[in-house]
Amino acid sequence: MVLIAMLSFSCSTDSLDETAENTTTNIVVPETKVIEIEIVELINDYRLSIGLNPLNNMKLIKSQAYSHTDYMIEHDNVSHDNFYQRKTYLINNAGANKVSENVAYGFTTAESVVNAWLNSPGHRENIEGDFTDFDISAEQNSQGKWYYTNIFVKK
Protein backbone atom coordinates (compact mmCIF):
# COMPACT_ATOMS: atom_id res chain seq x y z
CA MET A 1 0.00 0.00 0.00
CA VAL A 2 2.82 2.43 0.80
CA LEU A 3 4.41 1.73 -2.57
CA ILE A 4 1.12 2.40 -4.33
CA ALA A 5 0.70 5.66 -2.43
CA MET A 6 4.27 6.70 -3.20
CA LEU A 7 3.72 6.14 -6.90
CA SER A 8 0.27 7.72 -6.96
CA PHE A 9 1.06 11.22 -8.02
CA SER A 10 1.83 13.03 -11.19
CA CYS A 11 2.75 16.44 -12.51
CA SER A 12 1.93 18.42 -15.60
CA THR A 13 3.29 21.53 -17.26
CA ASP A 14 1.80 23.90 -19.75
CA SER A 15 3.24 21.86 -22.62
CA LEU A 16 0.62 19.12 -22.13
CA ASP A 17 -2.13 19.33 -24.71
CA GLU A 18 -5.37 17.59 -23.79
CA THR A 19 -8.41 17.44 -26.05
CA ALA A 20 -11.00 16.16 -23.57
CA GLU A 21 -14.24 18.01 -22.90
CA ASN A 22 -14.25 21.31 -21.04
CA THR A 23 -14.93 20.89 -17.31
CA THR A 24 -14.40 24.50 -16.25
CA THR A 25 -17.79 26.02 -16.99
CA ASN A 26 -19.21 25.75 -13.46
CA ILE A 27 -17.01 27.62 -11.01
CA VAL A 28 -17.16 26.29 -7.46
CA VAL A 29 -14.83 27.38 -4.67
CA PRO A 30 -15.37 25.24 -1.56
CA GLU A 31 -14.33 26.27 1.92
CA THR A 32 -10.64 25.74 2.56
CA LYS A 33 -9.81 22.63 4.57
CA VAL A 34 -7.12 22.42 7.25
CA ILE A 35 -5.09 19.97 5.14
CA GLU A 36 -5.13 22.46 2.24
CA ILE A 37 -3.89 25.27 4.49
CA GLU A 38 -1.12 22.99 5.71
CA ILE A 39 -0.07 22.09 2.15
CA VAL A 40 0.01 25.75 1.11
CA GLU A 41 2.09 26.62 4.17
CA LEU A 42 4.50 23.71 3.65
CA ILE A 43 5.06 24.61 0.00
CA ASN A 44 5.58 28.31 0.76
CA ASP A 45 7.87 27.49 3.71
CA TYR A 46 9.92 25.25 1.42
CA ARG A 47 10.11 27.94 -1.27
CA LEU A 48 11.23 30.51 1.29
CA SER A 49 13.86 28.10 2.66
CA ILE A 50 15.54 27.93 -0.76
CA GLY A 51 15.33 31.66 -1.43
CA LEU A 52 12.21 31.75 -3.61
CA ASN A 53 9.17 33.99 -3.29
CA PRO A 54 6.12 32.62 -1.52
CA LEU A 55 3.13 32.08 -3.79
CA ASN A 56 -0.20 33.85 -3.42
CA ASN A 57 -3.46 31.95 -3.12
CA MET A 58 -6.09 32.60 -5.76
CA LYS A 59 -9.71 31.46 -5.54
CA LEU A 60 -9.95 31.15 -9.32
CA ILE A 61 -7.07 28.66 -9.27
CA LYS A 62 -8.69 26.80 -6.37
CA SER A 63 -11.91 26.49 -8.37
CA GLN A 64 -10.03 24.78 -11.19
CA ALA A 65 -8.13 22.54 -8.78
CA TYR A 66 -11.36 21.59 -7.02
CA SER A 67 -13.11 20.80 -10.29
CA HIS A 68 -10.28 18.48 -11.31
CA THR A 69 -10.05 16.78 -7.92
CA ASP A 70 -13.78 16.12 -8.06
CA TYR A 71 -13.30 14.72 -11.59
CA MET A 72 -10.53 12.36 -10.41
CA ILE A 73 -12.72 11.11 -7.56
CA GLU A 74 -15.64 10.59 -9.93
CA HIS A 75 -13.42 8.54 -12.27
CA ASP A 76 -11.45 6.86 -9.44
CA ASN A 77 -8.23 7.74 -11.22
CA VAL A 78 -5.41 10.21 -10.63
CA SER A 79 -4.79 12.03 -13.91
CA HIS A 80 -4.17 15.27 -15.77
CA ASP A 81 -7.27 14.81 -17.91
CA ASN A 82 -8.56 18.15 -19.23
CA PHE A 83 -5.38 20.02 -18.20
CA TYR A 84 -5.45 22.03 -21.41
CA GLN A 85 -8.92 23.37 -20.52
CA ARG A 86 -7.81 24.37 -17.01
CA LYS A 87 -4.73 26.04 -18.44
CA THR A 88 -6.74 27.93 -21.07
CA TYR A 89 -9.31 29.00 -18.49
CA LEU A 90 -6.59 30.39 -16.20
CA ILE A 91 -4.86 32.16 -19.09
CA ASN A 92 -8.14 33.79 -20.13
CA ASN A 93 -9.56 34.55 -16.67
CA ALA A 94 -6.62 34.87 -14.28
CA GLY A 95 -4.03 36.47 -16.55
CA ALA A 96 -1.78 33.40 -16.41
CA ASN A 97 1.25 33.22 -18.69
CA LYS A 98 2.33 29.78 -17.45
CA VAL A 99 0.38 26.97 -15.77
CA SER A 100 1.54 23.70 -14.19
CA GLU A 101 -0.05 21.21 -11.85
CA ASN A 102 0.78 18.39 -9.48
CA VAL A 103 -1.77 15.72 -8.65
CA ALA A 104 -1.72 12.90 -6.12
CA TYR A 105 -3.89 10.49 -4.21
CA GLY A 106 -3.67 8.18 -1.25
CA PHE A 107 -1.58 10.39 1.01
CA THR A 108 -3.17 11.00 4.40
CA THR A 109 -1.32 14.10 5.61
CA ALA A 110 -0.13 17.38 4.15
CA GLU A 111 3.45 16.45 5.04
CA SER A 112 3.27 13.11 3.21
CA VAL A 113 1.94 14.53 -0.06
CA VAL A 114 4.31 17.53 -0.06
CA ASN A 115 7.29 15.28 0.77
CA ALA A 116 6.34 12.93 -2.07
CA TRP A 117 6.17 15.85 -4.49
CA LEU A 118 9.51 17.19 -3.25
CA ASN A 119 11.13 13.77 -3.68
CA SER A 120 10.01 13.61 -7.32
CA PRO A 121 12.10 15.75 -9.71
CA GLY A 122 9.16 16.80 -11.93
CA HIS A 123 6.92 17.72 -9.01
CA ARG A 124 9.73 19.53 -7.21
CA GLU A 125 10.38 21.47 -10.42
CA ASN A 126 6.79 22.74 -10.30
CA ILE A 127 7.05 23.62 -6.60
CA GLU A 128 10.36 25.43 -7.22
CA GLY A 129 9.16 26.97 -10.48
CA ASP A 130 8.91 30.59 -11.53
CA PHE A 131 5.31 31.10 -10.40
CA THR A 132 3.39 33.87 -8.66
CA ASP A 133 0.18 32.16 -7.54
CA PHE A 134 -1.13 28.72 -6.69
CA ASP A 135 -3.85 26.86 -4.87
CA ILE A 136 -4.74 23.37 -3.82
CA SER A 137 -7.77 21.14 -3.64
CA ALA A 138 -7.80 18.11 -1.34
CA GLU A 139 -10.94 15.97 -1.32
CA GLN A 140 -11.81 12.54 -0.01
CA ASN A 141 -13.75 9.90 -1.92
CA SER A 142 -16.51 7.84 -0.30
CA GLN A 143 -13.92 5.41 1.10
CA GLY A 144 -11.94 8.25 2.70
CA LYS A 145 -9.02 8.22 0.23
CA TRP A 146 -7.57 11.69 -0.42
CA TYR A 147 -7.12 13.11 -3.92
CA TYR A 148 -5.09 16.29 -4.55
CA THR A 149 -4.72 18.85 -7.31
CA ASN A 150 -2.15 21.63 -6.89
CA ILE A 151 -2.10 24.23 -9.68
CA PHE A 152 0.69 26.77 -10.16
CA VAL A 153 0.34 29.97 -12.20
CA LYS A 154 2.71 32.69 -13.32
CA LYS A 155 1.13 36.03 -14.10
Side-chain angles (χ1 to χ4, degrees):
M1 182 66 172
V2 172
L3 180 59
I4 292 171
M6 289 184 67
L7 298 175
S8 301
F9 55 86
S10 183
C11 65
S12 179
T13 64
D14 57 3
S15 63
L16 182 63
D17 185 19
E18 295 282 339
T19 57
E21 68 184 70
N22 188 342
T23 60
T24 59
T25 55
N26 296 324
I27 304 304
V28 176
V29 183
E31 283 192 45
T32 303
K33 295 173 191 62
V34 171
I35 194 168
E36 294 167 335
I37 294 168
E38 292 170 345
I39 292 169
V40 164
E41 289 175 351
L42 287 168
I43 289 173
N44 272 336
D45 287 349
Y46 173 78
R47 287 179 60 87
L48 287 167
S49 78
I50 61 169
L52 298 173
N53 64 299
L55 302 176
N56 302 307
N57 297 88
M58 182 184 284
K59 287 190 184 288
L60 203 54
I61 297 171
K62 184 172 185 64
S63 73
Q64 297 305 295
Y66 174 74
S67 174
H68 184 59
T69 303
D70 194 46
Y71 172 90
M72 291 191 300
I73 289 171
E74 181 180 321
H75 291 87
D76 192 28
N77 185 39
V78 67
S79 72
H80 292 289
D81 291 354
N82 308 311
F83 175 76
Y84 183 75
Q85 283 76 21
R86 288 187 295 287
K87 173 191 166 192
T88 301
Y89 183 87
L90 292 168
I91 288 169
N92 292 333
N93 295 283
N97 294 312
K98 179 180 174 183
V99 179
S100 289
E101 75 179 13
N102 289 344
V103 296
Y105 77 98
F107 297 93
T108 57
T109 66
E111 293 83 5
S112 65
V113 71
V114 172
N115 285 336
W117 282 334
L118 290 174
N119 287 319
S120 164
H123 298 96
R124 186 176 57 250
E125 183 177 325
N126 285 342
I127 289 171
E128 294 177 353
D130 181 21
F131 297 105
T132 55
D133 303 270
F134 76 141
D135 223 317
I136 182 85
S137 171
E139 299 293 329
Q140 289 179 292
N141 68 8
S142 59
Q143 292 80 38
K145 181 182 270 188
W146 286 97
Y147 285 73
Y148 305 89
T149 304
N150 188 193
I151 299 177
F152 301 85
V153 166
K154 178 177 180 160
K155 295 193 331 180

mmCIF file of all heavy atoms in Angstrom, residues 5 12 20 22 26 28 41 48 57 64-65 69 74 87 90 95 98 110 134 141 143 151 153 155:
data_model
loop_
_atom_site.group_PDB
_atom_site.id
_atom_site.type_symbol
_atom_site.label_atom_id
_atom_site.label_comp_id
_atom_site.label_asym_id
_atom_site.label_seq_id
_atom_site.Cartn_x
_atom_site.Cartn_y
_atom_site.Cartn_z
ATOM 1 N N ALA A 5 0.870 4.251 -2.779
ATOM 2 C CA ALA A 5 0.697 5.662 -2.429
ATOM 3 C C ALA A 5 1.881 6.486 -2.903
ATOM 4 O O ALA A 5 1.712 7.603 -3.387
ATOM 5 C CB ALA A 5 0.505 5.820 -0.923
ATOM 6 N N SER A 12 2.193 17.998 -14.234
ATOM 7 C CA SER A 12 1.933 18.421 -15.598
ATOM 8 C C SER A 12 2.416 19.852 -15.758
ATOM 9 O O SER A 12 2.359 20.641 -14.832
ATOM 10 C CB SER A 12 0.438 18.353 -15.883
ATOM 11 O OG SER A 12 0.186 18.788 -17.182
ATOM 12 N N ALA A 20 -9.762 16.616 -24.197
ATOM 13 C CA ALA A 20 -11.004 16.159 -23.569
ATOM 14 C C ALA A 20 -11.970 17.323 -23.387
ATOM 15 O O ALA A 20 -11.612 18.488 -23.531
ATOM 16 C CB ALA A 20 -10.703 15.513 -22.232
ATOM 17 N N ASN A 22 -14.473 20.218 -21.976
ATOM 18 C CA ASN A 22 -14.250 21.307 -21.036
ATOM 19 C C ASN A 22 -15.015 21.039 -19.747
ATOM 20 O O ASN A 22 -16.202 20.798 -19.765
ATOM 21 C CB ASN A 22 -14.706 22.625 -21.665
ATOM 22 C CG ASN A 22 -14.333 23.816 -20.837
ATOM 23 O OD1 ASN A 22 -14.039 23.710 -19.656
ATOM 24 N ND2 ASN A 22 -14.335 24.972 -21.470
ATOM 25 N N ASN A 26 -18.579 25.466 -14.747
ATOM 26 C CA ASN A 26 -19.209 25.749 -13.458
ATOM 27 C C ASN A 26 -18.141 26.002 -12.413
ATOM 28 O O ASN A 26 -17.426 25.085 -12.027
ATOM 29 C CB ASN A 26 -20.093 24.570 -13.023
ATOM 30 C CG ASN A 26 -21.252 24.360 -13.964
ATOM 31 O OD1 ASN A 26 -21.810 25.320 -14.484
ATOM 32 N ND2 ASN A 26 -21.608 23.113 -14.192
ATOM 33 N N VAL A 28 -16.825 26.554 -8.848
ATOM 34 C CA VAL A 28 -17.158 26.289 -7.456
ATOM 35 C C VAL A 28 -15.886 26.446 -6.647
ATOM 36 O O VAL A 28 -14.843 25.887 -7.000
ATOM 37 C CB VAL A 28 -17.719 24.854 -7.286
ATOM 38 C CG1 VAL A 28 -17.964 24.541 -5.826
ATOM 39 C CG2 VAL A 28 -18.987 24.679 -8.108
ATOM 40 N N GLU A 41 1.033 26.144 3.273
ATOM 41 C CA GLU A 41 2.094 26.622 4.175
ATOM 42 C C GLU A 41 3.386 25.843 3.986
ATOM 43 O O GLU A 41 4.476 26.431 3.958
ATOM 44 C CB GLU A 41 1.627 26.553 5.629
ATOM 45 C CG GLU A 41 0.567 27.581 5.956
ATOM 46 C CD GLU A 41 0.000 27.441 7.368
ATOM 47 O OE1 GLU A 41 0.300 26.433 8.059
ATOM 48 O OE2 GLU A 41 -0.761 28.350 7.770
ATOM 49 N N LEU A 48 10.472 29.502 0.546
ATOM 50 C CA LEU A 48 11.232 30.515 1.291
ATOM 51 C C LEU A 48 12.581 29.970 1.746
ATOM 52 O O LEU A 48 13.591 30.681 1.717
ATOM 53 C CB LEU A 48 10.428 31.018 2.479
ATOM 54 C CG LEU A 48 9.259 31.938 2.143
ATOM 55 C CD1 LEU A 48 8.349 32.128 3.347
ATOM 56 C CD2 LEU A 48 9.759 33.283 1.615
ATOM 57 N N ASN A 57 -2.280 32.775 -2.857
ATOM 58 C CA ASN A 57 -3.460 31.946 -3.120
ATOM 59 C C ASN A 57 -4.391 32.712 -4.048
ATOM 60 O O ASN A 57 -4.443 33.934 -4.012
ATOM 61 C CB ASN A 57 -4.219 31.652 -1.830
ATOM 62 C CG ASN A 57 -3.399 30.868 -0.862
ATOM 63 O OD1 ASN A 57 -2.683 31.447 -0.074
ATOM 64 N ND2 ASN A 57 -3.478 29.571 -0.941
ATOM 65 N N GLN A 64 -10.470 25.714 -10.164
ATOM 66 C CA GLN A 64 -10.026 24.778 -11.193
ATOM 67 C C GLN A 64 -9.434 23.511 -10.568
ATOM 68 O O GLN A 64 -9.673 22.404 -11.048
ATOM 69 C CB GLN A 64 -9.015 25.447 -12.119
ATOM 70 C CG GLN A 64 -9.580 26.618 -12.882
ATOM 71 C CD GLN A 64 -10.817 26.241 -13.664
ATOM 72 O OE1 GLN A 64 -10.758 25.445 -14.593
ATOM 73 N NE2 GLN A 64 -11.958 26.793 -13.285
ATOM 74 N N ALA A 65 -8.688 23.687 -9.488
ATOM 75 C CA ALA A 65 -8.127 22.538 -8.782
ATOM 76 C C ALA A 65 -9.246 21.670 -8.207
ATOM 77 O O ALA A 65 -9.222 20.444 -8.321
ATOM 78 C CB ALA A 65 -7.181 23.008 -7.676
ATOM 79 N N THR A 69 -10.067 17.785 -8.988
ATOM 80 C CA THR A 69 -10.046 16.779 -7.919
ATOM 81 C C THR A 69 -11.362 16.025 -7.890
ATOM 82 O O THR A 69 -11.386 14.791 -7.764
ATOM 83 C CB THR A 69 -9.760 17.445 -6.557
ATOM 84 O OG1 THR A 69 -8.520 18.153 -6.645
ATOM 85 C CG2 THR A 69 -9.661 16.419 -5.442
ATOM 86 N N GLU A 74 -14.539 11.160 -9.157
ATOM 87 C CA GLU A 74 -15.641 10.585 -9.934
ATOM 88 C C GLU A 74 -15.173 9.432 -10.820
ATOM 89 O O GLU A 74 -15.867 8.434 -10.996
ATOM 90 C CB GLU A 74 -16.282 11.679 -10.782
ATOM 91 C CG GLU A 74 -17.449 11.218 -11.613
ATOM 92 C CD GLU A 74 -18.050 12.352 -12.427
ATOM 93 O OE1 GLU A 74 -18.144 13.479 -11.898
ATOM 94 O OE2 GLU A 74 -18.416 12.093 -13.588
ATOM 95 N N LYS A 87 -5.767 25.081 -18.057
ATOM 96 C CA LYS A 87 -4.727 26.037 -18.445
ATOM 97 C C LYS A 87 -5.334 27.204 -19.227
ATOM 98 O O LYS A 87 -5.089 28.372 -18.919
ATOM 99 C CB LYS A 87 -3.667 25.328 -19.282
ATOM 100 C CG LYS A 87 -2.647 26.258 -19.880
ATOM 101 C CD LYS A 87 -1.787 25.529 -20.902
ATOM 102 C CE LYS A 87 -1.024 26.530 -21.725
ATOM 103 N NZ LYS A 87 -0.405 25.910 -22.892
ATOM 104 N N LEU A 90 -7.398 29.521 -17.059
ATOM 105 C CA LEU A 90 -6.587 30.395 -16.201
ATOM 106 C C LEU A 90 -5.848 31.452 -17.013
ATOM 107 O O LEU A 90 -5.656 32.573 -16.539
ATOM 108 C CB LEU A 90 -5.634 29.556 -15.351
ATOM 109 C CG LEU A 90 -6.357 28.712 -14.295
ATOM 110 C CD1 LEU A 90 -5.418 27.679 -13.676
ATOM 111 C CD2 LEU A 90 -6.980 29.602 -13.218
ATOM 112 N N GLY A 95 -5.217 35.798 -16.026
ATOM 113 C CA GLY A 95 -4.029 36.471 -16.548
ATOM 114 C C GLY A 95 -2.773 35.617 -16.496
ATOM 115 O O GLY A 95 -1.664 36.144 -16.464
ATOM 116 N N LYS A 98 1.776 31.133 -17.593
ATOM 117 C CA LYS A 98 2.328 29.783 -17.455
ATOM 118 C C LYS A 98 1.482 29.050 -16.423
ATOM 119 O O LYS A 98 1.105 29.629 -15.405
ATOM 120 C CB LYS A 98 3.781 29.887 -16.988
ATOM 121 C CG LYS A 98 4.493 28.589 -16.764
ATOM 122 C CD LYS A 98 5.928 28.863 -16.294
ATOM 123 C CE LYS A 98 6.645 27.608 -15.910
ATOM 124 N NZ LYS A 98 7.989 27.890 -15.398
ATOM 125 N N ALA A 110 -0.744 16.347 4.978
ATOM 126 C CA ALA A 110 -0.125 17.379 4.151
ATOM 127 C C ALA A 110 1.368 17.094 3.989
ATOM 128 O O ALA A 110 1.917 17.207 2.887
ATOM 129 C CB ALA A 110 -0.348 18.750 4.791
ATOM 130 N N PHE A 134 -0.785 30.140 -6.669
ATOM 131 C CA PHE A 134 -1.129 28.719 -6.692
ATOM 132 C C PHE A 134 -2.311 28.484 -5.770
ATOM 133 O O PHE A 134 -2.710 29.353 -5.011
ATOM 134 C CB PHE A 134 0.047 27.842 -6.285
ATOM 135 C CG PHE A 134 0.378 27.780 -4.813
ATOM 136 C CD1 PHE A 134 0.768 26.571 -4.250
ATOM 137 C CD2 PHE A 134 0.329 28.895 -3.985
ATOM 138 C CE1 PHE A 134 1.100 26.480 -2.898
ATOM 139 C CE2 PHE A 134 0.666 28.812 -2.653
ATOM 140 C CZ PHE A 134 1.048 27.606 -2.102
ATOM 141 N N ASN A 141 -12.683 10.659 -1.272
ATOM 142 C CA ASN A 141 -13.748 9.904 -1.922
ATOM 143 C C ASN A 141 -14.607 9.227 -0.841
ATOM 144 O O ASN A 141 -14.368 9.399 0.354
ATOM 145 C CB ASN A 141 -13.181 8.901 -2.940
ATOM 146 C CG ASN A 141 -12.408 7.770 -2.304
ATOM 147 O OD1 ASN A 141 -12.365 7.574 -1.089
ATOM 148 N ND2 ASN A 141 -11.763 6.967 -3.158
ATOM 149 N N GLN A 143 -14.667 6.330 0.237
ATOM 150 C CA GLN A 143 -13.922 5.405 1.098
ATOM 151 C C GLN A 143 -12.907 6.131 1.982
ATOM 152 O O GLN A 143 -12.166 5.504 2.724
ATOM 153 C CB GLN A 143 -13.186 4.348 0.266
ATOM 154 C CG GLN A 143 -14.095 3.359 -0.432
ATOM 155 C CD GLN A 143 -14.689 3.927 -1.717
ATOM 156 O OE1 GLN A 143 -14.026 4.647 -2.457
ATOM 157 N NE2 GLN A 143 -15.943 3.620 -1.970
ATOM 158 N N ILE A 151 -2.344 23.500 -8.434
ATOM 159 C CA ILE A 151 -2.101 24.228 -9.682
ATOM 160 C C ILE A 151 -1.249 25.456 -9.397
ATOM 161 O O ILE A 151 -1.512 26.220 -8.458
ATOM 162 C CB ILE A 151 -3.428 24.626 -10.362
ATOM 163 C CG1 ILE A 151 -4.240 23.372 -10.710
ATOM 164 C CG2 ILE A 151 -3.153 25.460 -11.622
ATOM 165 C CD1 ILE A 151 -5.603 23.653 -11.335
ATOM 166 N N VAL A 153 0.548 28.991 -11.140
ATOM 167 C CA VAL A 153 0.341 29.971 -12.204
ATOM 168 C C VAL A 153 1.402 31.054 -12.105
ATOM 169 O O VAL A 153 1.759 31.498 -11.011
ATOM 170 C CB VAL A 153 -1.070 30.609 -12.072
ATOM 171 C CG1 VAL A 153 -1.203 31.855 -12.917
ATOM 172 C CG2 VAL A 153 -2.145 29.600 -12.441
ATOM 173 N N LYS A 155 1.800 34.909 -13.447
ATOM 174 C CA LYS A 155 1.127 36.033 -14.102
ATOM 175 C C LYS A 155 2.156 37.048 -14.527
ATOM 176 O O LYS A 155 3.232 37.096 -14.029
ATOM 177 C CB LYS A 155 0.131 36.674 -13.136
ATOM 178 C CG LYS A 155 -0.978 35.732 -12.777
ATOM 179 C CD LYS A 155 -2.180 36.297 -12.089
ATOM 180 C CE LYS A 155 -2.039 37.489 -11.232
ATOM 181 N NZ LYS A 155 -3.252 37.939 -10.632
#
